[in-house]
């Protein structure tokens, strides 16, 4: 796990929950930048050449550690695997569905680092709204 003044990244060991088998271990890379303060990019390394990337709301992952949250394509909820607290992340798209189980401790540590970079409630201070609007209009 590393972070600089405006970015944080981490690798997180996950379990892909497969209906016919118990689970398949894989690694996801989490990236956060103050330039996009509401979002966390997660690249799931599934063994293919290119990782599968999703963008999550930072708040969604934060709240999902303590209670179920999310509707539609992304849902997150707390769980327990033996004595270890975990977070379940369910994803769905037109291409399929997947459910992951992640340990809380490293995810919480990563999220803590993102809040050191951009504290909760200060996200809007890190966005140049005029340039974002102009970028989308051009």
């Amino acid at each position: 796990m590393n972070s600089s003044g405006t970015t944080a990244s981490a690798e997180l060991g996950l379990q892909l929950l497969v209906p016919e088998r118990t689970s398949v271990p894989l690694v996801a890379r989490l990236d956060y930048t103050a330039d996009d303060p509401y979002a966390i990019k997660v690249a799931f390394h599934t063994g293919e050449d290119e990782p599968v990337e999703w963008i999550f709301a930072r708040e969604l992952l934060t709240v999902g550690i303590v209670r179920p949250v999310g509707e539609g394509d992304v849902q997150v909820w707390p769980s327990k695997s033996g004595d270890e607290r975990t977070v379940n992340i369910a994803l769905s798209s037109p291409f399929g569905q997947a459910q992951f189980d992640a340990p809380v401790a490293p995810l919480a540590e990563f999220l803590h680092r993102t809040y050191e970079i951009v504290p909760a409630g200060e996200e809007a201070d890190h966005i140049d709204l005029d340039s974002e609007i102009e970028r989308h209009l051009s």
Side-chain angles (χ1 to χ4, degrees):
M1 197 172 299
N2 62 52
S3 61
S4 68
T6 61
T7 64
S9 63
E11 287 195 350
L12 182 63
L14 304 172
Q15 296 293 321
L16 171 62
L17 305 177
V18 182
E20 307 304 316
R21 297 181 270 175
T22 54
S23 63
V24 176
L26 62 97
V27 174
R29 179 177 170 88
L30 290 75
D31 289 296
Y32 178 81
T33 176
D35 294 338
D36 193 2
Y38 292 102
I40 292 174
K41 182 171 79 171
V42 180
F44 296 96
H45 297 275
T46 60
E48 301 293 320
D49 289 338
E50 294 295 318
V52 177
E53 293 185 348
W54 281 71
I55 305 292
F56 292 89
R58 177 171 72 161
E59 182 178 6
L60 182 81
L61 292 175
T62 302
V63 172
I65 289 175
V66 294
R67 67 175 172 81
V69 65
E71 296 179 13
D73 294 347
V74 180
Q75 297 178 356
V76 183
W77 66 95
S79 186
K80 269 195 135 181
S81 179
D83 290 336
E84 184 179 33
R85 289 181 53 217
T86 63
V87 175
N88 282 292
I89 302 169
L91 308 175
S92 64
S93 77
F95 304 104
Q97 298 179 349
Q99 183 175 331
F100 302 93
D101 192 36
V104 167
L107 177 60
E109 182 181 333
F110 172 77
L111 288 167
H112 178 75
R113 289 179 180 207
T114 73
Y115 286 105
E116 288 177 338
I117 295 167
V118 177
E122 294 183 16
E123 293 90 351
D125 297 343
H126 294 265
I127 296 176
D128 182 351
L129 195 53
D130 291 334
S131 70
E132 285 295 317
I133 291 171
E134 186 175 317
R135 185 174 65 89
H136 288 288
L137 293 176
S138 57

